[in-house]
Amino acid sequence: MPIQIAFERSTAGPVVICDHCGKRIDTANNGNALFLEEHCNGQSRIIGPIVFTHKVCNGDFETAHKPAKDQIWAFNDLDVFLVYLTRNLKVDFPNATRRADLLSNIL
Ligand SMILES: [Zn+2]
């Protein structure tokens, strides 16, 4: 479960856990988002869930999880992945940030 809720001091919030070492990825530019890409009959498709690793754990994760013959581990840098994700979700950052700050102050 790479995305979990962590309790710190008196608050709780989502964090990303490395699927290789099980430790928290504290900084987005120290992580990768990986996904299996399958190539068959000239077609490519993404299969399986997205996993997250520290950049230093990426190689060991791929060694431990060898893809099938027509598959490769593809990845995005975690910080870039998050930009793509928030763009695809059409996140309104000023509004979402204001609401998150408000909720943090209540909790
Ligand atoms: Zn790790």
Side-chain angles (χ1 to χ4, degrees):
M1 278 200 310
I3 297 179
Q4 300 177 0
I5 300 297
F7 290 91
E8 294 180 349
R9 293 173 221 114
S10 62
T11 64
V15 296
V16 177
I17 304 298
C18 176
D19 281 288
H20 181 69
C21 72
K23 296 179 181 165
R24 180 176 168 175
I25 300 173
D26 287 327
T27 308
N29 64 7
N30 285 335
N32 288 335
L34 293 85
F35 38 92
L36 276 174
E37 191 173 305
E38 185 173 71
H39 302 274
C40 187
N41 299 325
Q43 301 283 328
S44 296
R45 67 184 185 125
I46 304 301
I47 58 172
I50 295 167
V51 298
F52 299 93
T53 68
H54 291 103
K55 286 191 179 297
V56 298
C57 295
N58 198 133
D60 289 341
F61 177 87
E62 289 188 25
T63 299
H65 300 86
K66 290 276 189 209
K69 189 181 100 196
D70 295 328
Q71 299 173 350
I72 61 166
W73 281 110
F75 76 97
N76 288 151
D77 295 319
L78 182 53
D79 54 355
V80 172
F81 175 85
L82 293 172
V83 170
Y84 291 151
L85 181 63
T86 57
R87 282 182 184 165
N88 289 337
L89 291 171
K90 300 173 183 61
V91 174
D92 175 350
F93 272 101
N95 184 33
T97 300
R98 183 184 52 75
R99 292 176 25 241
D101 289 345
L102 181 64
L103 287 170
S104 294
N105 289 331
I106 292 171
L107 300 175

